[in-house]
Amino acid sequence: MQYSKLGKSDLEISKIGFGCMSLSGNTKENEQIIEKAVELGINYFDTADLYEHGENEVKIGNLLKLKRDQVIIATKVGNQHRADGNGWDWNPKKEYILSAAEGSLKRLQTDYIDLYQLHGGTMEDPIDETIEAFEILKQQGKIRYYGISSIRPNVIREYVQRSGIVSVMMQYSLLDRRPEEESLELLQKNGIGVLGRGSIAQGLLVDKPAASYLNWSAEEVAHAAEIVHSITGRNSSSAQTAIRFVLQNQALNSAVMGIRTQAQLEDIAAAVNFPQLTVQEMDLLLRVSPAHYYLAHR
């Protein structure tokens, strides 16, 4: 496994992160896959209080409590479940964030959260109040660092200018290069780390039947998958190629992947062991999804 420092923090995170929302097996199966992930060098585990009404945090707390000194635990806040259990509402207010952090700490069975992320964000939020909540939690030692999970350039810019975020989690793949337009250069310039999600575009670049995706037609998606497959070597996989494309961007610290089986885990973790894609391979991939595509199709 390879590692990189997340922004201005002292968190050395694995180039492959584990997206915990995907864990769906029984307790024994989940124990085995987490054990194997740690064995393979994955140390970044990402969850959220929204997932499974908080039960995903409970699950991760149980699975990682004996490995706490070996792992980096990240969770998210901002989506408040309704009292009747019917959905949730966006709540970035200080009082709620401080209260929600206590719940996450308890469910995760830990005294501190390594990376606490705002799970979204809009320009209508009380941003200074939101930032104050994270700063208070940091001063109290309940979180080590904080970041946001957002694809919105205007929101990202506000937090870059006004807060002490160390990271931004955003969707980024061959089929979604929007971050290249306004965000990645800004974040890299300001020493803020990037956590990529959706690297294989919901499996469409790997093994799922072609379907429309964002502004792409099913035919365009099929063509992109064909190109990925065509440059994938005999001893590698399409998933590894898609992940290598993401990690080849120097702004990216980690590709956070949803992993359900040990076979998937071993395949994904091995992506970092291959050399970088060649200039010719990158040229083929970049022709599939020119960055200006999204500007032209908004």
Side-chain angles (χ1 to χ4, degrees):
M1 184 54 60
Q2 298 174 15
Y3 303 85
S4 67
K5 185 175 288 188
L6 186 64
K8 298 175 182 176
S9 78
D10 63 357
L11 301 175
E12 291 280 347
I13 70 170
S14 48
K15 285 282 191 176
I16 300 297
F18 198 117
C20 300
M21 183 174 67
S22 63
L23 282 176
S24 57
N26 59 40
T27 301
K28 186 63 176 177
E29 290 171 335
N30 289 336
E31 285 177 354
Q32 291 172 342
I33 196 168
I34 292 295
E35 192 76 34
K36 187 64 175 180
V38 174
E39 179 186 320
L40 290 172
I42 293 175
N43 71 350
Y44 179 84
F45 294 84
D46 191 282
T47 182
D49 59 4
L50 179 66
Y51 304 158
E52 301 177 81
H53 287 262
E55 286 304 309
N56 196 260
E57 287 183 325
V58 173
K59 187 183 297 182
I60 297 309
N62 286 328
L63 291 168
L64 294 179
K65 62 185 177 182
L66 298 180
K67 299 178 175 63
R68 187 65 185 94
D69 61 343
Q70 303 174 53
V71 299
I72 293 168
I73 296 177
T75 191
K76 309 182 195 76
V77 65
N79 295 290
Q80 182 176 16
H81 286 287
R82 296 173 187 154
D84 62 4
N86 185 26
W88 59 85
D89 298 301
W90 178 240
N91 190 347
K93 294 181 179 178
K94 171 184 171 182
E95 182 180 2
Y96 174 67
I97 291 173
L98 295 177
S99 172
E102 298 296 335
S104 287
L105 287 166
K106 183 176 181 180
R107 288 188 292 272
L108 289 166
Q109 300 181 56
T110 183
D111 296 327
Y112 64 93
I113 295 164
D114 294 293
L115 180 65
Y116 203 34
Q117 302 162 98
L118 185 67
H119 204 173
T122 74
M123 292 302 293
E124 290 69 46
D125 293 347
I127 293 177
D128 288 331
E129 180 180 330
T130 302
I131 294 168
E132 183 184 2
F134 284 110
E135 290 291 347
I136 288 172
L137 291 169
K138 190 175 177 182
Q139 291 166 12
Q140 293 174 339
K142 294 176 180 178
I143 67 173
R144 294 177 65 188
Y145 301 99
Y146 65 97
I148 63 172
S149 177
S150 177
I151 193 64
R152 298 177 177 178
N154 55 351
V155 173
I156 291 171
R157 279 194 298 271
E158 289 299 310
Y159 278 90
V160 169
Q161 294 168 6
R162 296 159 65 174
S163 78
I165 61 169
V166 300
S167 66
V168 176
M169 173 174 277
M170 59 177 64
Q171 185 166 295
Y172 181 56
S173 72
L174 179 63
L175 293 181
D176 189 354
R177 294 176 59 202
R178 289 174 294 175
E180 294 176 15
E181 290 294 338
E182 300 182 51
S183 299
L184 295 185
E185 184 177 354
L186 172 69
L187 295 171
Q188 194 171 21
K189 180 179 177 180
N190 285 274
I192 295 170
V194 180
L195 302 162
R197 61 180 179 83
S199 302
I200 59 175
Q202 299 176 357
L204 293 171
L205 291 173
V206 181
D207 53 9
K208 284 190 176 179
S212 59
Y213 182 77
L214 299 177
N215 292 315
W216 297 87
S217 68
E219 291 76 16
E220 290 170 323
V221 168
H223 176 64
E226 287 173 7
I227 296 300
V228 169
H229 181 71
S230 72
I231 66 173
T232 297
R234 186 174 298 176
N235 297 318
S236 60
S237 69
S238 294
Q240 291 167 352
T241 300
I243 293 167
R244 288 161 68 201
F245 170 82
V246 168
L247 292 178
Q248 199 136 325
N249 191 307
Q250 294 183 353
L252 270 286
N253 290 95
S254 182
V256 181
M257 306 296 298
I259 299 167
R260 289 185 171 83
T261 68
Q262 288 216 32
Q264 285 180 339
L265 170 63
E266 292 179 12
D267 180 62
I268 288 168
V272 299
N273 297 326
F274 288 88
Q276 288 197 332
L277 296 166
T278 66
V279 172
Q280 292 80 7
E281 290 170 337
M282 284 296 290
D283 184 56
L284 280 171
L285 292 172
L286 293 175
R287 288 184 186 183
V288 168
S289 61
H292 64 262
Y293 179 92
Y294 288 97
L295 290 179
H297 290 74
R298 283 177 179 172

